[in-house]
Amino acid sequence: MEEIKKVWPKWEIVEKLGEGGFGEVYKAKREILGETTWSAIKIVHIPHSTSEIKEMKTSGLTEDSIKDY
């Protein structure tokens, strides 16, 4: 997952735990001084669907304002 590596380069994605309406959750690990630390990382997609983008355009938002959102 390249988006995660850009933000947390020292974390290794182990597996995808699940996904829902707004994004995905991944199990990650990091080794520091021989100790393994585990974490869950959630990637949230905003807006989360093309229908939401269409609704935003219909309500008068521009491409730039949608990106800022």
Side-chain angles (χ1 to χ4, degrees):
M1 191 87 213
E2 289 302 312
E3 291 119 354
I4 296 172
K5 284 288 184 190
K6 288 178 187 176
V7 178
W8 298 290
K10 296 180 181 179
W11 286 90
E12 175 189 341
I13 302 305
V14 177
E15 66 180 303
K16 185 176 185 177
L17 296 175
E19 63 183 282
F22 290 98
E24 304 89 31
V25 178
Y26 295 90
K27 181 178 182 179
K29 72 176 182 176
R30 180 177 177 183
E31 296 199 23
I32 304 170
L33 301 173
E35 271 191 52
T36 302
T37 302
W38 296 92
S39 183
I41 298 174
K42 184 171 187 174
I43 305 297
V44 178
H45 303 283
I46 301 173
H48 64 89
S49 68
T50 54
S51 62
E52 186 177 357
I53 294 171
K54 288 178 185 176
E55 286 178 35
M56 295 171 101
K57 286 181 180 178
T58 302
S59 70
L61 293 174
T62 64
E63 292 274 336
D64 288 335
S65 62
I66 292 171
K67 289 177 186 175
D68 289 341
Y69 170 78

